Amino acid sequence: MDVEITRLPGIGTKQEFDTASGRRIGVLTHRDGHRELLVSAREDPDACSASVALSDAEGQALGTLLGAPNLVAQLQDQQREVEGISTAQFPVGAGSPYDGRTLGDTAMRTRTSTSIVAVVRDHVVSPSPGPEFVFRAGDLVVVVGTGEGLGQAASILEDG
């Protein structure tokens, strides 16, 4: 899929692609950071047929709706190519010792040789969270590693 990026001096950046149905979908990111979802016809991308302003939370929710299932599917596809590596999702329960603590506090990579590649919270994906990311009960943690490492990761999130 080709995404065209157009710099709009004084306005921001527009990123667009053509759909198979002949529509053009884009996101206009203004210099001040707010975004608009754009829909137009392929023949005349300047004649916008719909524009929806999105708050940061709305943009994240839309991205999650479109991206979260794809992220997990891509990780699962990629793991099929590497024998011995798997992807799993583990919840952070209300009784977890890491509820309210940072990813760095888990020392997950050091203790299990696994990697936390995303955390899903309230239907919003946080890809590649850093060590400062704070877990909350209800988070779904996406982990990549060996079967043994994934078992250890689940135990750490559950019991410490």
Side-chain angles (χ1 to χ4, degrees), residues 80-97:
R80 286 186 192 107
E81 297 175 16
V82 181
E83 192 169 323
I85 300 294
S86 299
T87 303
Q89 301 173 34
F90 304 116
V92 175
S96 171

Side-chain angles (χ1 to χ4, degrees), residues 34-51:
H34 80 275
R35 292 183 176 90
E36 293 180 62
L37 178 65
L38 308 172
V39 179
S40 59
R42 184 182 302 157
E43 307 79 47
D44 189 0
D46 293 328
C48 186
S49 61
S51 172

Side-chain angles (χ1 to χ4, degrees), residues 19-94:
T19 67
S21 65
R23 303 299 295 257
R24 194 159 178 85
I25 305 292
V27 174
L28 175 58
T29 304
H30 292 265
R31 290 176 54 188
D32 66 3
H34 80 275
R35 292 183 176 90
E36 293 180 62
L37 178 65
L38 308 172
V39 179
S40 59
R42 184 182 302 157
E43 307 79 47
D44 189 0
D46 293 328
C48 186
S49 61
S51 172
V52 179
L54 299 172
S55 68
D56 285 344
E58 292 164 340
Q60 288 178 346
L62 179 60
T64 298
L65 290 174
L66 297 173
N70 291 334
L71 172 65
V72 172
Q74 287 174 359
L75 288 170
Q76 289 172 338
D77 283 345
Q78 289 173 358
Q79 84 181 22
R80 286 186 192 107
E81 297 175 16
V82 181
E83 192 169 323
I85 300 294
S86 299
T87 303
Q89 301 173 34
F90 304 116
V92 175

Side-chain angles (χ1 to χ4, degrees), residues 87-137:
T87 303
Q89 301 173 34
F90 304 116
V92 175
S96 171
Y98 292 103
D99 180 10
R101 293 180 59 197
T102 67
L103 184 153
D105 288 342
T106 67
M108 188 71 72
R109 184 173 296 153
T110 302
R111 294 169 66 187
T112 67
S113 297
T114 63
S115 294
I116 295 176
V117 296
V119 177
V120 181
R121 175 181 295 155
D122 297 327
H123 306 291
V124 175
V125 176
S126 296
S128 301
E132 72 287 346
F133 182 91
V134 178
F135 291 115
R136 286 197 324 218

